[in-house]
Amino acid sequence: MCGISGIYGAPPQGVEPAEAVKRMLALIQHRGPDEAGYYVDDRLAMGTVRLSIIDLASGTQPLSDAGERHWICYNGELYNYRELRRELEGHGCRFRTQSDTEVVLQAWLYWGEQCLPRLNGAFAFAIYDHVAGSLLLARDRYGKRPLFYAQHAGALIFASEMKAFLAFRDFQFAADPQQLSSIFAQWTPLPAQSGFKGIRQLPMACFLRVQEGQRSEGCYERLDFARGPAVASEAQAVEMVRQALTDSVRLRLRSDVEVGVYLSGGLDSSIITQLVTQMSPHKIHTFSVAFEDKYFDESDDQSEVSRWLGTEHSAITIGHADIAENFPAALYHAEMPAFRSAFVPMFLLSQAVRAKGIKVVLSGEGADEAFLGYDLFKETLLRTAWKSYDNEERKRQIARMYPYLRHFDEGHAAPLLGLFQQFSEEQLPGLFSHEIRFQNGRFANRLLRDRADPFGALLQLTRADAQFAGMGPIEKAQWLEFKTLLAGYLLSTQGERMSLAHGVENRCPFLDPQVVRLAATVNLRFDNGSNEKYLLKQAFAQVLPASIINKHKHPYRAPDSAAFVRHRPDYLEVLLSEAELKNIPFLDTAFCKALTRKIFNSEPATISTRENQAFIFLLSVALLDRQFVRREGTPAVSVNNLERVLVRAIDRRSGVH
């Protein structure tokens, strides 16, 4: 895993390109602490910080073809690189390294854009043609690896993380209230959003071509949940699921360093752990988060799975103080407004993983989206069939939907009848499945002084997909999950950014394209959706504890506003000081003050979910303003640390020798 950055075009006046790209790389060196390298010519400077995982000896970047015309800076892992290499060798391609990076470059040179759907991996990369002067940026199909770009003083700057743009003293970060309105509404940025004006995120499954000042963006694959050929029986479907996941895990164990597993105590991570233990010749390290607050804690289940499978298990226990103390540092790596604090424990967990000497972990992200694991899918099915049930059946359906939430027990089922009745018919075109969830986002939008249409950007995104309107309610719900919460929060804020903050790469077997396509084929064919992830449970019922197979879905969560009420860190002045709040002109100061006052003057149990989310959003926006807009309170970064691991410096500028 790596981080990349670059400057394409004439650099800002007074900026020396090689020094600028080194400063950019220094700001993201946590992503790749093992090596660094850069390439510079009269048009471009780009570089890589590398986390060495495959081909430790010869995978140094930037890497070129034999003629040194094409250069690649690559952030990611290509899991099927051996298969593609053999295919390319059959076409006459010759390789000089054993790295997956060279396979990506040769695939691009041979197939062009048609290579992108062939790549089974998590990646973002830049390929530069020194002769034509063209630059290509591309990103993986599910948005596992980030890539941002912006126009600055006549040049295009790009990087794996936006903090690299802090390398330019005159680059101005400015929060975009319209984007924030959308982020608050959907709980997460949409695929192209960054939260800042003028900074764009390259969407998943997309590429950007740049040449002679012209830019063109295209997408190489659309998100599709169309069912494949009919499966003859449930037994066949179970076997297909088991085999597809086995193949996916085997691919993701390709590494020249040890691979561990994040073990949450739920079904998905337990399946991954079981498969890894069957394939690995040595004892597997598993890692998890436990909580002092037992409402959030799943350590008993984690320990049970570890004992059952015989793993070497390590856990860190998180208290309210840990969340409050580490929130700013974790947020600096996330770079995005967050609606809950659950990413902070993952930041601390990756730190513990790296301390054990582990660089790669497997985790269960993507299982709920692909195999309909969320209660949101059951809720969509219920609301779709709402008019066919009488009130008693409606109450029974509601009562069993959220067994892990205190406020959704049988005693609260009756009052919820009105809410579900209200949302039994679609109000926002195409967003039926998510309309109840989005009510919390409407509340968070009150943080803003001038409120834009919070759903306009999402509706525009759905309209841009010609196939979306023809999808069924469940497929639309999946599409929305993949495009919003999965890519924008789970894979990034809570996932990739937290692991790479400490130089740990996270791999997700459930997000193998073959697994996702198979899930679309078998979902709801042998069950009615009331028993989430039914086929997954059937596939692994004989090799996991019954308590894990039969466990209700328990989403990973952490204490939110309560952590800050009980341990008031000094940085809370960004909210508690009216003068500080007024430094952010787009906030509704009166509402922000009222919300903050309620949070700190009320018992945590009386704070609603939407108030918790709005508070975490407010705190993260205020801290991001301090860190990026005002450039205060950020970690000290030295180019000297980068120079110590700089192993490649290619300077092809005219007149430079």
Side-chain angles (χ1 to χ4, degrees), residues 174-202:
D176 187 332
Q178 189 165 355
Q179 287 190 46
L180 291 180
S181 178
S182 173
I183 290 168
F184 292 170
Q186 283 85 235
W187 302 1
T188 177
L190 297 180
Q193 291 177 337
S194 70
F196 292 102
K197 294 178 180 178
I199 302 177
R200 181 176 170 85
Q201 188 169 189
L202 185 65

Side-chain angles (χ1 to χ4, degrees), residues 543-565:
V543 293
L544 290 174
S547 60
I548 300 301
I549 295 295
N550 298 322
K551 180 181 177 182
H552 286 295
K553 171 65 182 174
H554 191 293
Y556 165 65
R557 300 172 67 219
D560 289 320
S561 63
F564 303 94
V565 172

Side-chain angles (χ1 to χ4, degrees), residues 334-606:
E335 302 184 324
M336 298 281 186
F339 70 105
R340 59 190 183 195
S341 67
F343 66 99
V344 182
M346 299 308 296
F347 172 77
L348 296 172
L349 182 61
S350 71
Q351 185 178 53
V353 169
R354 188 59 194 246
K356 289 280 188 179
I358 305 292
K359 289 183 179 182
V360 181
V361 291
L362 271 57
S363 65
E365 280 88 1
D368 289 309
E369 292 79 6
F371 286 95
L372 310 183
Y374 290 131
D375 291 319
L376 178 140
F377 298 116
K378 291 189 289 186
E379 179 184 291
T380 300
L381 288 169
L382 171 58
R383 290 167 53 219
T384 301
W386 186 258
K387 293 180 180 179
S388 67
Y389 296 138
D390 61 26
N391 272 3
E392 290 306 310
E393 180 60 25
R394 291 168 178 172
K395 289 179 184 178
R396 283 192 292 271
Q397 293 279 350
I398 291 172
R400 69 185 188 184
M401 193 169 295
Y402 307 106
Y404 56 89
L405 293 178
R406 295 165 177 161
H407 55 288
F408 275 74
D409 57 19
E410 289 189 24
H412 290 80
L416 285 171
L417 279 172
L419 178 65
F420 278 73
Q421 178 66 38
Q422 178 187 351
F423 289 98
S424 61
E425 294 185 1
E426 185 171 86
Q427 301 173 26
L428 293 168
L431 307 186
F432 173 77
S433 59
H434 284 60
E435 285 178 337
I436 293 179
R437 174 192 290 183
F438 288 166
Q439 293 310 296
N440 291 344
R442 289 185 186 276
F443 180 80
N445 259 268
R446 295 173 64 185
L447 296 168
L448 300 172
R449 188 186 63 192
D450 300 316
R451 295 162 201 163
D453 176 6
F455 303 109
L458 180 57
L459 290 171
Q460 184 177 356
L461 187 67
T462 61
R463 288 193 294 267
D465 187 326
Q467 307 301 316
F468 180 81
M471 294 180 183
I474 292 299
E475 287 74 24
K476 286 180 179 178
Q478 286 182 281
W479 191 97
L480 290 168
E481 285 296 290
F482 270 83
K483 292 288 188 178
T484 61
L485 199 62
L486 178 64
Y489 179 80
L490 296 174
L491 295 181
S492 54
T493 296
Q494 188 172 288
E496 204 255 15
R497 311 299 167 78
M498 296 304 100
S499 61
L500 265 298
H502 300 291
V504 176
E505 178 190 312
N506 187 6
R507 299 179 176 181
C508 305
F510 282 100
L511 287 176
D512 186 282
Q514 298 300 328
V515 173
V516 174
R517 281 193 281 270
L518 174 61
T521 297
V522 300
N523 282 340
L524 301 180
R525 286 201 174 180
F526 305 100
D527 67 282
N528 63 6
S530 61
N531 185 357
E532 71 271 3
K533 294 185 282 195
Y534 171 75
L535 288 177
L536 276 181
K537 293 174 180 177
Q538 294 299 105
F540 294 90
Q542 303 305 313
V543 293
L544 290 174
S547 60
I548 300 301
I549 295 295
N550 298 322
K551 180 181 177 182
H552 286 295
K553 171 65 182 174
H554 191 293
Y556 165 65
R557 300 172 67 219
D560 289 320
S561 63
F564 303 94
V565 172
R566 294 177 181 174
H567 299 274
R568 300 192 182 193
D570 292 341
Y571 64 78
L572 282 179
E573 69 186 66
V574 297
L575 302 185
L576 299 176
S577 164
E578 184 171 354
E580 285 286 322
L581 277 177
K582 287 183 175 179
N583 280 330
I584 309 176
F586 55 82
L587 291 178
D588 184 329
T589 306
F591 179 80
C592 295
K593 285 171 57 180
L595 175 65
T596 303
R597 188 163 49 246
K598 181 173 183 181
I599 294 292
F600 283 95
N601 294 334
S602 305
E603 286 296 318
T606 68

Side-chain angles (χ1 to χ4, degrees), residues 1 53-54 72 74-85 88 95 98-108 111 115-125 140-141 145 220 251-255 505 507 512-513:
M1 191 48 52
I53 292 172
I54 291 176
I72 183 171
Y74 179 67
N75 164 31
E77 298 294 342
L78 184 62
Y79 306 127
N80 63 334
Y81 76 99
R82 293 177 185 171
E83 291 78 7
L84 286 178
R85 179 184 176 121
L88 287 164
F95 290 83
Q98 298 301 313
S99 70
D100 60 330
T101 303
E102 189 176 13
V103 173
V104 173
L105 178 59
Q106 292 286 358
W108 172 260
W111 287 304
C115 82
L116 295 170
R118 296 170 177 262
L119 306 182
N120 180 359
F123 57 80
F125 61 80
D140 68 78
R141 56 173 51 80
R145 301 295 170 234
Y220 59 86
L251 280 179
R252 283 156 182 79
L253 287 177
R254 289 177 171 176
S255 171
E505 178 190 312
R507 299 179 176 181
D512 186 282

Side-chain angles (χ1 to χ4, degrees), residues 263 269-275 277-278 304-311 543-545:
L263 178 59
S269 64
S270 298
I271 288 172
I272 300 303
T273 305
Q274 190 275 330
L275 289 170
T277 57
Q278 292 301 303
E304 181 182 10
V305 175
S306 176
R307 288 193 301 269
W308 181 279
L309 298 175
T311 73
V543 293
L544 290 174

